[in-house]
Amino acid sequence: MQTIFLECGSVRLVPLSPADINLVKDLHSDPYGNLCNDTSTNCVVVDAAELVRTALQNQTDHGFAKWKAVAEDGKFIGWAGFTPLAETSEISLNYCLYTDVLEQDENLAKRLCKGLSDWFFKNTYFSHLVAVVRTDNRDMREAIQDAGFYHRESKAIDGMQADLFQMLSPSMQSYLMSA
């Protein structure tokens, strides 16, 4: 039985494996065929093996990672999860999904961002979670904001102009509200 980290409607997030490298390569090979916000790979083919390797290592080290997104029938539709963000020493929510999947379910990205952020705060002790969004990625910006993230700052990350969004944990929100 395969571990399911998160179920979001008909989408399940399960561990990536080395056997998934070609699936990730195919996803990243068409810059117009996927909706991706990851800054460390910028969704290029050459980074697929590294993405899977670091996801497996992050899962071992931190208990969370980027996970494979699969439909009910087991079809690979992308990946989603979390990455340590070297520039700020924070954890970033990110995803990369086939565009046609998002066109068939326009609210999938929003549900996925909400589900991931809920999972993160339920299963970790971090005080906040960030999301790095390319300045030209309006769809990602909308999904992140609908999930409850707010704009923190704009900056260059990995040579890319980006907006950094943040969400505080429920306990941190309660603490701030009581102060």
Side-chain angles (χ1 to χ4, degrees):
M1 173 141 179
Q2 187 172 39
T3 301
I4 298 173
F5 288 101
L6 179 68
E7 289 190 65
C8 188
S10 63
V11 175
R12 291 179 180 85
L13 298 183
V14 299
L16 282 162
S17 75
D20 298 322
I21 291 171
N22 285 332
L23 295 173
V24 174
K25 280 183 183 179
D26 290 344
L27 174 67
H28 291 185
S29 67
D30 181 2
Y32 302 104
N34 66 69
L35 181 61
C36 188
N37 78 311
D38 186 56
T39 60
S40 63
T41 65
N42 285 321
C43 294
V44 293
V45 174
V46 295
D47 293 317
E50 181 65 12
L51 182 143
V52 172
R53 187 196 67 73
T54 57
L56 294 171
Q57 189 62 53
N58 286 337
Q59 184 65 46
T60 299
D61 293 348
H62 305 295
F64 54 81
K66 291 177 183 168
W67 299 308
K68 178 168 62 170
V70 295
E72 284 179 314
D73 62 3
K75 179 183 174 194
F76 175 80
I77 61 169
W79 55 259
F82 311 100
T83 305
L85 187 61
E87 292 80 4
T88 62
S89 299
E90 297 169 297
I91 304 301
S92 177
L93 181 150
N94 40 47
Y95 64 83
C96 188
L97 301 168
Y98 280 109
T99 303
D100 64 332
V101 171
L102 292 169
E103 288 171 353
Q104 292 171 13
D105 183 351
E106 294 178 5
N107 291 314
L108 175 59
K110 295 172 187 176
R111 288 194 321 272
L112 198 53
C113 289
K114 178 72 172 129
L116 283 165
S117 57
D118 289 349
W119 183 97
F120 184 79
F121 291 124
K122 183 184 271 186
N123 292 283
T124 73
Y125 294 102
F126 286 88
S127 63
H128 68 284
L129 178 63
V130 299
V132 178
V133 180
R134 292 187 314 256
T135 55
D136 64 343
N137 192 337
R138 289 189 177 126
D139 293 331
M140 179 64 186
R141 176 182 311 276
E142 184 180 317
I144 288 295
Q145 288 178 312
D146 282 355
F149 286 77
Y150 61 89
H151 185 265
R152 187 174 86 187
E153 64 184 303
S154 298
K155 64 190 297 180
I157 296 181
D158 285 340
M160 172 186 77
Q161 274 308 116
D163 291 319
L164 193 63
F165 289 81
Q166 176 174 291
M167 177 187 279
L168 298 177
S169 70
S171 61
M172 184 60 77
Q173 290 177 27
S174 296
Y175 175 77
L176 290 176
M177 294 300 287
S178 68

